[in-house]
Amino acid sequence: MDIHTELMKEALAEARKAGEKGEVPVGAVLISSNGELLAKAHNESISRNDPTAHAEILALRKAGKKLGNYRISNSTFYVTIEPCIMCIGALINARIRHLVYGARDPKAGAVDSVYNILQNPRLNHRMKVSSGILERECRDIIQSFFKRLRDNTS
């Protein structure tokens, strides 16, 4: 098993934790350039009553605190679904080197799907992007969550 698959499995474990709490099941893992685990997180917007408590933002906050720096340069960020506008902005500001995500988000994705924020030539930071890592599993966990939600409200 390659490193991207292994770490995406950890992000999926975080996503499952979110789903068990009734949160949208998105998970994130942040790794330093030397392979050190900097942070893991999952969505907590509902439980925290905080629209910014996405997995990506919470992982960046934990890593920033751990490193004592808001810049988390040369790191690799794993997330189960394509980041939204808010989250890709935060990843840019943190100077993440490599974004690895599982499934595209056709409703709010800001990397490849709805928006292509990283392609904007006015940005002064470039980030490598790898997508489709455990794509089916990442897509299934979020689609199953919303299907259950719809089934319970009808």
Side-chain angles (χ1 to χ4, degrees):
M1 179 182 330
D2 76 340
I3 190 70
H4 290 328
T5 302
E6 182 180 324
L7 290 165
M8 190 59 73
K9 283 185 177 198
E10 288 198 40
L12 278 163
E14 286 294 314
R16 282 190 282 282
K17 289 179 190 177
E20 289 166 6
K21 296 176 182 178
E23 300 276 356
V24 176
V26 176
V29 174
L30 182 51
I31 303 295
S32 73
S33 59
N34 66 5
E36 176 191 2
L37 174 67
L38 296 175
K40 291 184 193 182
H42 54 271
N43 276 3
E44 295 185 32
S45 294
I46 297 166
S47 59
R48 291 181 183 224
N49 296 309
D50 179 354
T52 70
H54 289 195
E56 296 95 326
I57 302 299
L58 297 176
L60 288 172
R61 287 176 181 162
K62 287 178 185 178
K65 192 171 278 193
K66 181 175 187 170
L67 295 172
N69 196 334
Y70 72 104
R71 296 283 166 103
I72 309 166
S73 304
N74 299 317
S75 60
T76 302
F77 198 97
Y78 295 83
V79 64
T80 54
I81 195 159
E82 179 183 2
C84 69
I85 293 170
M86 173 183 68
C87 291
I88 198 60
L91 294 171
I92 290 166
N93 284 323
R95 301 299 191 259
I96 300 300
R97 181 182 57 83
H98 189 181
L99 167 64
V100 181
Y101 74 85
R104 286 185 174 210
D105 182 350
K107 295 190 180 190
V111 178
D112 294 311
S113 298
V114 180
Y115 304 99
N116 299 86
I117 302 291
L118 295 174
Q119 302 307 313
N120 188 317
R122 292 172 288 205
L123 294 174
N124 66 343
H125 177 67
R126 298 284 170 247
M127 161 182 333
K128 178 180 177 183
V129 176
S130 302
S131 62
I133 308 301
L134 295 178
E135 181 177 9
R136 185 180 48 77
E137 294 91 329
C138 292
R139 184 180 53 248
D140 288 352
I141 193 170
I142 203 157
Q143 285 180 342
S144 296
F145 174 82
F146 284 114
K147 183 182 183 325
R148 279 191 309 276
L149 211 55
R150 285 188 305 273
D151 290 349
N152 288 338
T153 58
S154 47

